[in-house]
Amino acid sequence: MKDNQLLLALYRDMRRIRSLEERVSEMFVRSETAGSMLHLSIGEESVAGVCRAMEAKDSFTTHHRGHGIFVARGAEPARMLAEIAGKANGYCRGKGGSMHIADMGLGHLGANAIVGGGISHAVGAALAYKRKKQKRVAVAFYGDGAMQQGILYESMNLAALWSLPVLFCCINNQYGMGTRVDRATANLAFDERARAFGLAGEIVDGTDIEAVHETAERMLANAREGKPGLLVLTCYRFFGHARMDKSPYRDSAEEEQGRQRDPLKFARERLIARKGATEENLDALDAEIATEMDNALEQAIKEHLPDVSTMFEDVYAPDQPKPTPLRDRLSAILSETSR
């Protein structure tokens, strides 16, 4: 029997991701972001099914499209948006920005702008959990572009060889920057690659949030017992690679068809069909979440930028002398030459 309460919770998680990403996009248009490289995960919201299946003590790494994953794991939207805006009260005090948010307290071991860069970190965490005999799982989230990276296969091999509690989660949104996945690899059966290393491998339709959650729950339970695996979510990236990318490499017909694969739309229709919620219930929930994210956006914009004197804090060890900022060195040089 299907659990309508679970589906409603999953719908709420996905709606919060979608609404947050829309505010990130708005923040960029308002010139309030720290930098221009923002990668939206709209269309990939079913990753919330994996996040909800994880336990509180589990950890994870994300790629450069990781805002949604972090908010689904309990991040505060206002602090996330503050970080993206480069503000002092952001998760990394404004130093991480969009692509390098982290919070050890929530199990977030770091986001990484290097394709596949965070995968080995999750494997390292899983090795630590095994050696300490802790029933924890590390999840490595990454995109289909990383399926062609050597670090993934070294990591998969070690995970299988050492029976590590790790789950590799590939979010296949069909594009690595401007290259469609079928132009980057001849074999799209990514689950077969996992099995070649001795891991479990499954591919799930990313429009079906219940199927994602059910599969993730099973694979995480197996990983917790030393049986690692690869879970692939197939979805469609609604917009360009980054916020400034108008995706000229895709025609409008493809984009229109791809956007029909909307996990929120399918979850909403399923809830109504199963009488788990009414249109009015869901409209009210959507409005509540929109207000939450609007407030978070305005709060983030009002926050202060970090003081220049803090630029080296959390970068060097506390007992190490801080480098002299370039502007101070230039001032000293100019002062000498003017004498």
Side-chain angles (χ1 to χ4, degrees):
M1 182 177 178
K2 296 297 184 180
D3 186 341
N4 284 338
Q5 287 302 112
L6 173 60
L7 179 55
L8 183 60
L10 290 167
Y11 174 85
R12 182 179 185 276
D13 291 344
M14 291 195 295
R15 176 57 69 186
R16 292 184 80 241
I17 293 173
R18 176 75 58 90
S19 293
L20 177 90
E21 293 287 51
E22 289 169 348
R23 273 61 183 182
V24 171
S25 181
E26 180 183 338
M27 183 184 285
F28 174 82
V29 172
R30 292 169 63 173
S31 300
E32 295 287 354
T33 57
S36 61
M37 292 302 290
L38 299 168
H39 305 81
L40 305 179
S41 61
I42 294 177
E44 306 174 16
E45 291 87 354
S46 62
V47 72
V50 181
C51 296
R52 185 164 280 271
M54 294 166 65
E55 295 184 1
K57 60 189 176 182
D58 294 338
S59 63
F60 61 102
T61 59
T62 65
H63 52 333
H64 53 272
R65 206 177 299 278
H67 305 152
I69 296 166
F70 193 24
V71 75
R73 285 298 293 164
E76 298 174 26
R79 285 191 66 193
M80 281 190 65
L81 292 172
E83 183 60 38
I84 294 168
K87 300 300 179 67
N89 72 320
Y91 273 100
C92 299
R93 301 175 68 187
K95 293 184 176 72
S98 171
M99 288 188 283
H100 298 283
I101 296 176
D103 181 11
M104 300 296 178
L106 289 175
H108 195 337
L109 304 180
N112 208 303
I114 298 172
V115 177
I119 295 171
S120 60
H121 301 172
V123 173
L127 176 60
Y129 302 154
K130 180 175 181 178
R131 292 180 65 86
K132 292 180 178 181
K133 297 182 170 33
Q134 297 175 341
K135 288 292 184 180
R136 303 172 66 183
V137 175
V139 181
F141 292 101
Y142 55 92
D144 51 278
M147 288 301 300
Q148 326 311 332
Q149 296 296 313
I151 188 63
L152 171 64
Y153 301 109
E154 294 178 33
S155 297
M156 291 170 80
N157 182 56
L158 287 178
L161 181 64
W162 295 338
S163 302
L164 299 181
V166 62
L167 178 65
F168 301 94
C169 185
C170 173
I171 305 166
N172 181 2
N173 65 17
Q174 312 305 310
Y175 279 87
M177 293 191 73
T179 303
R180 203 171 63 209
V181 65
D182 60 0
R183 293 177 178 170
T185 181
N187 185 359
L188 298 178
F190 294 154
D191 54 330
E192 292 178 359
R193 302 188 191 184
R195 286 193 284 273
F197 285 100
L199 280 75
E202 297 203 36
I203 299 177
V204 182
D205 180 359
T207 60
D208 188 343
I209 186 66
E210 288 182 302
V212 171
H213 180 267
E214 180 183 347
T215 306
E217 204 168 43
R218 173 167 35 82
M219 296 189 78
L220 284 164
N222 288 337
R224 217 172 295 282
E225 299 303 320
K227 299 174 184 176
L230 165 68
L231 173 58
V232 181
L233 310 184
T234 59
C235 52
Y236 189 79
R237 192 185 76 201
F238 280 22
F239 299 103
H241 171 69
R243 181 59 183 79
M244 296 176 67
D245 174 17
K246 300 185 184 301
S247 58
Y249 42 83
R250 309 192 302 198
D251 61 42
S252 57
E254 179 197 330
E255 289 197 339
E256 182 178 354
Q257 183 178 5
R259 290 173 186 172
Q260 294 304 309
R261 299 182 58 189
D262 186 342
L264 277 89
K265 173 178 176 287
F266 280 87
R268 185 184 182 97
E269 290 175 349
R270 187 174 289 178
L271 275 167
I272 294 169
R274 293 202 322 226
K275 302 189 185 309
T278 64
E279 287 272 9
E280 292 75 17
N281 295 150
L282 296 176
D283 287 345
L285 177 60
D286 292 352
E288 174 190 325
I289 292 171
T291 299
E292 175 196 12
M293 297 303 171
D294 282 340
N295 292 338
L297 173 59
E298 294 308 319
Q299 180 180 336
I301 289 174
K302 291 176 183 176
E303 295 293 346
H304 298 290
L305 291 169
D307 190 273
V308 69
S309 65
T310 67
M311 73 167 68
F312 296 119
E313 292 178 6
D314 304 316
V315 177
Y316 292 87
D319 59 342
Q320 295 295 310
K322 295 178 182 177
T324 303
L326 179 59
R327 67 180 65 184
D328 292 349
R329 282 187 281 154
L330 288 174
S331 295
I333 293 170
L334 291 173
S335 296
E336 286 295 325
T337 56
S338 64
R339 289 180 183 178

